[in-house]
């Protein structure tokens, strides 16, 4: 499949922001939504897009303030991300879909899957936790992040953002994302017990943000959760080991999407 380019999509007005969505893959295939991580964008999935089965219609969404989406005036929260994704899919007239979500995208996907009634057929999370306690050391890591620190760590990432976003303001975006990360009440929490979709939890074994304890705790709550642990990889397992990642993700999607494809109808409007 061809990856996302930030040139072939459209921006949809949602709650005082323009949310960018781009469709790749099979235009009549089964919808598979791809949700990126914090301070990233849909193109972060391009390492695996070309290896995904051709039966899928790939729907990339840039979270508000990220990629080609404007920030708007609403505070960044996982609730807002969830509402934005639901609004995008409503405008595209997509009733049911599967999801691959990385980090913030995975946390948002957990909220989407826990909503009742659920619209998700199969769920893949990468490096995503469902809750953080107030004394979790990960919160200190998040709280210490600044725009300058991120620029130092990921200069190419910031340069891409500034070249792509229609209203770039990295000094405003980073504090908004830090506030999202550290707002513990907005994580899906115990609501993940309501997830009925088959779920694959992907984790890099050296991930310092989504620990083994986080993942095992999530797996205890989600009825149909399987763990795919990738040795020798960190938080961004997809880009660190794309071949290994796709080796576990593809069979899972094919199994659970094929099982219900004969009973589930899909409708999409053109991008």
């Amino acid at each position: 499949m061809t990856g996302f380019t930030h040139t072939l999509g459209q921006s949809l007005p949602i709650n005082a922001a323009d949310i960018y969505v781009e469709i790749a893959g099979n235009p009549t295939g089964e919808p598979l939504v791809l949700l990126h991580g914090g301070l990233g964008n849909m193109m972060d999935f391009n390492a695996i897009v070309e290896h995904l089965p051709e039966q899928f219609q790939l729907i990339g969404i840039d979270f508000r303030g990220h990629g080609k989406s404007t920030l708007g005036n609403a505070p960044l929260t996982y609730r807002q991300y969830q509402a934005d994704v639901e609004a995008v899919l409503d405008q595209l007239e997509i009733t049911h879909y599967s999801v691959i979500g990385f980090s913030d995208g995975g946390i948002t996907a957990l909220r989407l899957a826990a909503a009742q009634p659920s619209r998700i057929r199969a769920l893949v999370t990468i490096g995503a936790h469902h809750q953080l306690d107030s004394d979790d050391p990960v919160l200190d890591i998040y709280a210490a992040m600044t725009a300058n620190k991120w620029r130092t760590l990921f200069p190419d990432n910031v340069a891409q953002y500034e070249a792509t976003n229609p209203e770039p303001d990295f000094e405003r975006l980073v504090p908004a994302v830090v506030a999202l990360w550290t707002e513990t009440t907005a994580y899906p929490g115990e609501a993940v017990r309501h997830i009925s979709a088959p779920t694959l939890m992907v984790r890099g074994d050296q991930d310092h943000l989504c620990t083994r304890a986080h993942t095992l705790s999530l797996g205890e709550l989600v009825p149909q959760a399987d763990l795919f642990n990738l040795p020798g990889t960190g938080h961004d397992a997809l880009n660190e080991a794309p071949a290994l990642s796709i080796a576990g993700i593809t069979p899972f999607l094919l199994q659970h999407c094929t099982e219900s494809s004969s009973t589930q109808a899909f409708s999409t409007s053109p991008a």
Side-chain angles (χ1 to χ4, degrees), residues 230-241:
L230 281 67
T233 60
H235 188 59
D236 192 6
L238 285 184
N239 283 286
E240 293 177 38

Side-chain angles (χ1 to χ4, degrees), residues 161-240:
Y161 158 81
E162 292 178 335
T164 301
N165 196 273
E167 299 175 0
D169 189 345
F170 199 63
E171 279 63 33
R172 179 183 172 214
L173 175 62
V174 173
V177 172
V178 170
L180 170 137
W181 289 338
T182 54
E183 177 52 67
T184 57
T185 60
Y187 286 81
E190 292 288 318
V192 297
R193 292 182 182 274
H194 301 301
I195 294 176
S196 58
T199 300
L200 180 66
M201 305 176 301
V202 180
R203 177 182 176 271
D205 196 48
Q206 299 174 16
D207 190 341
H208 65 297
L209 298 177
C210 181
T211 66
R212 293 185 188 184
H214 290 142
T215 305
L216 293 175
S217 175
L218 173 61
E220 289 295 321
L221 297 176
V222 178
Q224 298 188 70
D226 291 324
L227 171 61
F228 182 43
N229 200 67
L230 281 67
T233 60
H235 188 59
D236 192 6
L238 285 184
N239 283 286
E240 293 177 38

Side-chain angles (χ1 to χ4, degrees), residues 21-187:
V21 56
E22 188 171 315
I23 296 178
N26 185 343
T28 61
E30 300 173 13
L32 176 60
V33 176
L34 304 180
L35 300 177
H36 63 81
L39 300 174
N41 63 74
M42 65 177 65
M43 293 180 68
D44 295 339
F45 285 103
N46 283 351
I48 66 165
V49 161
E50 62 180 298
H51 303 294
L52 287 169
E54 294 184 358
Q55 74 185 65
F56 290 106
Q57 178 190 63
L58 306 181
I59 303 166
I61 301 173
D62 283 338
F63 287 132
R64 59 176 55 220
H66 297 68
K68 288 190 74 171
S69 294
T70 61
L71 185 56
N73 297 318
L76 294 190
T77 67
Y78 293 115
R79 294 186 187 93
Q80 185 62 61
Y81 283 174
Q82 175 188 353
D84 289 344
V85 172
E86 290 171 337
V88 167
L89 297 176
D90 285 344
Q91 291 194 41
L92 296 179
E93 299 182 354
I94 294 174
T95 57
H96 291 79
Y97 54 95
S98 297
V99 184
I100 300 176
F102 165 59
S103 196
D104 282 357
I107 295 166
T108 303
L110 289 170
R111 289 187 59 94
L112 289 161
Q116 301 297 310
S118 177
R119 299 165 62 179
I120 294 181
R121 295 175 58 194
L123 170 63
V124 178
T125 65
I126 304 105
H129 38 251
H130 69 295
Q131 66 182 16
L132 289 176
D133 296 330
S134 59
D135 60 349
D136 195 307
V138 171
L139 287 172
D140 293 333
I141 298 174
Y142 289 157
M145 184 54 63
T146 66
N148 285 337
K149 285 183 180 179
W150 195 272
R151 284 182 186 277
T152 300
L153 291 169
F154 308 106
D156 293 342
N157 170 280
V158 178
Q160 182 189 44
Y161 158 81
E162 292 178 335
T164 301
N165 196 273
E167 299 175 0
D169 189 345
F170 199 63
E171 279 63 33
R172 179 183 172 214
L173 175 62
V174 173
V177 172
V178 170
L180 170 137
W181 289 338
T182 54
E183 177 52 67
T184 57
T185 60
Y187 286 81

